Amino acid sequence: MFPVGGVGVMLVGVLVAGVVCVLVALVLAGRLGPVTAVAVGGLLWSIAIIGLITLLPATAAPGIVSAEGRLGTCSWDIGGPAPDGFWIFSGGQRLLNTVVFVPSGALLVVAAARAGRAALALVPVGLALLAAYSVAIEWTQLELARIDRACDVTDIIDNVTGAVVGVGLGVVLAMILRPWRGRPNHD
């Protein structure tokens, strides 16, 4: 049995990660400016939150799934059994899987915007890394059946969709916040 889990443990993890990420933002603020430092700290925090809510068991006493009883592959039932169709997020887990990656995508753009033209490469690379993070989470859920999670390709698609929506939102936020202001000329 996995030794920890439950909403309380997730919330403590979110709080501890938040404190660490605030400290990171404070350290970076002098060098990167406050907007970029907060975006970097927020991006790290959002990634930590995703890991906590997807890799910790949802209950404090997760069930034991024997190696013989766990699935051998991810579910490839794209869209799942929902009658609403694949691209319609009516709520529930599919919507949550999408929404949880939106902040990461948005903060990625705001953090990268200070880099000027390099952001045109940093954002797609960062988006690919967020997609790889989603794949790694699903693979971990597949391999560690004892955390009472299931691997599902639909989750990856929903996560990446959320990250892409976040990137679009991040472009708007970057235009409003303008993190490149005051950037040193030695770049």
Side-chain angles (χ1 to χ4, degrees), residues 51-94:
L52 288 166
I53 66 175
T54 58
L55 295 175
L56 283 176
T59 61
I64 296 175
V65 179
S66 66
E68 299 82 28
R70 73 176 179 88
L71 293 175
T73 63
C74 279
S75 169
W76 285 85
D77 183 15
I78 304 213
D84 295 335
F86 178 63
W87 291 107
I88 300 173
F89 302 110
S90 61
Q93 183 178 345
R94 301 260 341 260

Side-chain angles (χ1 to χ4, degrees), residues 114-130:
R114 184 170 176 87
R117 292 177 198 224
L120 296 174
L122 290 173
V123 171
V125 168
L127 188 57
L129 289 172
L130 286 173

Side-chain angles (χ1 to χ4, degrees), residues 8-182:
V9 173
M10 287 180 197
L11 291 175
V12 168
V14 166
L15 179 64
V16 169
V19 169
V20 169
C21 291
V22 165
L23 293 174
V24 168
L26 289 172
V27 168
L28 294 176
R31 184 160 200 265
L32 300 178
V35 173
T36 302
V38 168
V40 169
L43 175 60
L44 294 173
W45 192 36
S46 69
I47 290 168
I49 289 171
I50 291 167
L52 288 166
I53 66 175
T54 58
L55 295 175
L56 283 176
T59 61
I64 296 175
V65 179
S66 66
E68 299 82 28
R70 73 176 179 88
L71 293 175
T73 63
C74 279
S75 169
W76 285 85
D77 183 15
I78 304 213
D84 295 335
F86 178 63
W87 291 107
I88 300 173
F89 302 110
S90 61
Q93 183 178 345
R94 301 260 341 260
L95 182 61
L96 179 60
N97 286 337
T98 303
V99 169
V100 75
F101 269 76
V102 170
S104 298
L107 291 165
L108 167 67
V109 174
V110 175
R114 184 170 176 87
R117 292 177 198 224
L120 296 174
L122 290 173
V123 171
V125 168
L127 188 57
L129 289 172
L130 286 173
Y133 186 48
S134 178
V135 169
I137 287 168
E138 294 302 315
W139 179 79
T140 302
Q141 290 176 347
L142 175 66
E143 294 299 320
L144 299 179
R146 294 175 189 254
I147 63 173
D148 284 347
R149 302 292 181 146
C151 180
D152 190 343
V153 173
T154 302
D155 291 354
I156 296 168
I157 294 167
D158 292 344
N159 295 160
V160 173
T161 300
V164 169
V165 168
V167 165
L169 180 62
V171 169
V172 173
L173 283 173
M175 298 307 285
I176 293 169
L177 298 173
R178 301 174 62 191
W180 53 83
R181 287 184 294 182

